């Protein structure tokens, strides 16, 4: 399977447990109600978490984003950060996971008396579900093929991309828009026509040794994106943020995307134009610096 979220199948996932409303349940038995607001309306927030050398990477930032998103939707999670973290650790221990796992933490408004958009029909308790899978990107994975979609990102007054909500239809449409052209992931422009992000990851490109990316306003509030930008500012590579027309991206020497699942992933082509180096030297330097950052974080937090 192509794409930035590609992974190597792992038979250990046949017997994993998931966490559903405080209970450890075999993954194949886990169910939510047809009347759950997340199922019926996409009414919820989520986080993707990577387990690396005994630590859930950058957990504090992920929980910040989760609780901020829940508060914006007026969903009361009902657990403190410490209690939720303890539940995640219980799930990892139950599955014997110490490295190379991916968790998806989901909080919805919960069961409703009827499926409609009005949150006042919620019955009170949120649904909290966490999947845990052994997931590693294949070492043989090829660089990504990216293409610009006709589907655009939106300003926060229309649909706030900084809220990590279950509502992903716009991004799925963008991906569908480019799959038929042979692309693995879609590049999305903002409503003004400037480069914003990809459909599932954040986008960077390199020209003459300088890294370029969009403003923060119309792309995902990515944890990995923020870490990569901080690494650049600390000296790995020059960085410029701004409003960039697609022609600027199309003239790039290197292109890469960032996300929790795969970290830093090189692109090999954009709109059918092959890049001469994929990954290029700047992408390699950033990827190596990000791996060192992960190791440093894990060393500090694995025992907690």
């Amino acid at each position: 399977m192509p794409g930035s979220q590609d992974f190597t199948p792992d038979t250990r996932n046949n017997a994993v447990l998931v966490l559903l409303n405080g209970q450890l349940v075999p993954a194949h038995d886990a169910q939510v109600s047809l009347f759950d607001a997340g199922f019926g309306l996409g009414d919820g927030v989520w986080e993707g978490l990577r387990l690396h050398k005994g630590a859930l990477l950058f957990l504090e930032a992920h929980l910040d984003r989760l609780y901020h998103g829940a508060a914006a939707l007026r969903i009361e999670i009902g657990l403190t950060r410490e209690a939720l973290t303890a539940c995640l650790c219980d799930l990892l221990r139950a599955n014997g996971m110490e490295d190379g796992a991916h968790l998806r933490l989901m909080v919805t408004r919960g069961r409703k008396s009827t499926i409609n958009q009005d949150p006042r029909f919620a019955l009170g308790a949120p649904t909290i579900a966490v999947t845990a899978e052994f997931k590693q990107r294949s070492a043989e994975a090829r660089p990504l093929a990216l293409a610009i979609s006709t589907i655009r990102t939106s300003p926060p007054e229309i649909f706030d991309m900084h809220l990590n909500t279950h509502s992903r239809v716009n991004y799925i449409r963008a991906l569908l828009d480019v799959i038929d052209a042979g692309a693995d992931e879609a590049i999305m422009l903002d409503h003004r026509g400037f480069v914003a992000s990809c459909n599932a990851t954040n986008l960077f490109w390199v020209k003459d040794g300088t890294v370029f990316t969009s403003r923060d306003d119309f792309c995902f509030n990515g944890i990995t994106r923020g870490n990569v930008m901080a690494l650049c500012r600390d000296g790995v590579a020059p960085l410029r943020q701004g409003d960039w027309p697609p022609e600027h991206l199309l003239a790039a020497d290197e292109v890469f995307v960032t996300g929790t699942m795969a970290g830093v992933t090189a692109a090999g082509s954009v709109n059918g134009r092959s890049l001469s180096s994929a990954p290029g030297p700047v992408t390699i330097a950033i990827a190596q610096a990000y791996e060192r950052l992960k190791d440093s974080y894990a060393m500090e937090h694995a025992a907690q």
Side-chain angles (χ1 to χ4, degrees):
M1 184 185 301
S4 63
Q5 299 173 73
D6 186 21
F7 63 94
T8 302
D10 193 318
T11 57
R12 291 177 294 177
N13 290 326
N14 296 336
V16 295
L17 300 172
V18 300
L19 185 69
L20 182 58
N21 293 329
Q23 302 297 314
L24 293 169
V25 182
H28 54 78
D29 290 335
Q31 300 179 21
V32 296
S33 169
L34 290 176
F35 289 89
D36 190 273
F39 177 80
L41 300 160
D43 186 5
V45 290
W46 64 276
E47 289 293 321
L49 303 168
R50 287 297 295 171
L51 179 66
H52 179 71
K53 297 182 179 180
L56 289 170
L57 290 174
F58 316 116
L59 179 60
E60 301 86 353
H62 282 284
L63 292 179
D64 285 345
R65 190 169 65 180
L66 179 79
Y67 278 84
H68 170 75
L73 295 182
R74 302 187 190 180
I75 295 174
E76 177 56 56
I77 293 178
L79 291 174
T80 65
R81 293 164 65 109
E82 293 75 18
L84 184 54
T85 299
C87 290
L88 299 177
C89 293
D90 289 345
L91 178 61
L92 294 174
R93 281 192 293 270
N95 283 314
M97 293 174 166
E98 298 179 355
D99 185 52
H102 191 80
L103 278 64
R104 190 175 181 96
L105 164 59
M106 298 166 279
V107 180
T108 78
R109 199 174 301 277
R111 198 174 187 278
K112 302 183 72 173
S113 59
T114 188
I115 288 294
N116 61 22
Q117 293 183 29
D118 192 332
R120 291 170 294 186
F121 283 83
L123 296 177
T127 296
I128 301 176
V130 189
T131 61
E133 300 170 276
F134 293 98
K135 268 188 179 180
Q136 294 278 31
R137 185 161 171 80
S138 171
E140 292 76 36
R142 60 173 172 76
L144 300 174
L146 306 180
I148 298 175
S149 173
T150 60
I151 306 298
R152 299 195 173 189
T153 66
S154 55
E157 64 269 21
I158 296 176
F159 184 90
D160 190 350
M161 293 185 67
H162 287 189
L163 300 179
N164 221 29
T165 69
H166 283 210
S167 304
R168 314 305 282 179
V169 171
N170 202 44
Y171 315 129
I172 295 169
R173 287 186 65 210
L175 181 56
L176 290 170
D177 190 38
V178 302
I179 282 177
D180 291 341
D184 302 317
E185 190 148 343
I187 296 167
M188 301 178 71
L189 309 181
D190 67 27
H191 63 293
R192 303 164 304 156
F194 297 115
V195 177
S197 77
C198 289
N199 64 277
T201 55
N202 277 305
L203 180 65
F204 294 82
W205 62 100
V206 181
K207 185 66 177 177
D208 297 328
T210 295
V211 178
F212 294 86
T213 193
S214 64
R215 289 167 44 185
D216 298 332
D217 308 63
F218 311 115
C219 66
F220 299 114
N221 180 24
I223 307 301
T224 311
R225 179 181 193 258
N227 283 326
V228 164
M229 292 171 65
L231 289 169
C232 288
R233 289 172 177 142
D234 286 343
V236 176
L239 174 71
R240 290 185 63 189
Q241 275 188 274
D243 290 331
W244 310 108
E247 293 77 17
H248 192 279
L249 167 64
L250 294 173
D253 302 319
E254 306 173 38
V255 179
F256 64 91
V257 301
T258 60
T260 298
M261 171 60 197
V264 177
T265 305
S269 67
V270 178
N271 269 18
R273 170 184 169 255
S274 295
L275 298 165
S276 58
S277 56
V282 177
T283 303
I284 291 171
I286 291 171
Q288 291 174 341
Y290 182 67
E291 288 301 313
R292 291 192 295 270
L293 178 65
K294 288 166 53 181
D295 288 345
S296 175
Y297 182 95
M299 186 177 298
E300 182 179 349
H301 294 84
Q304 297 183 10

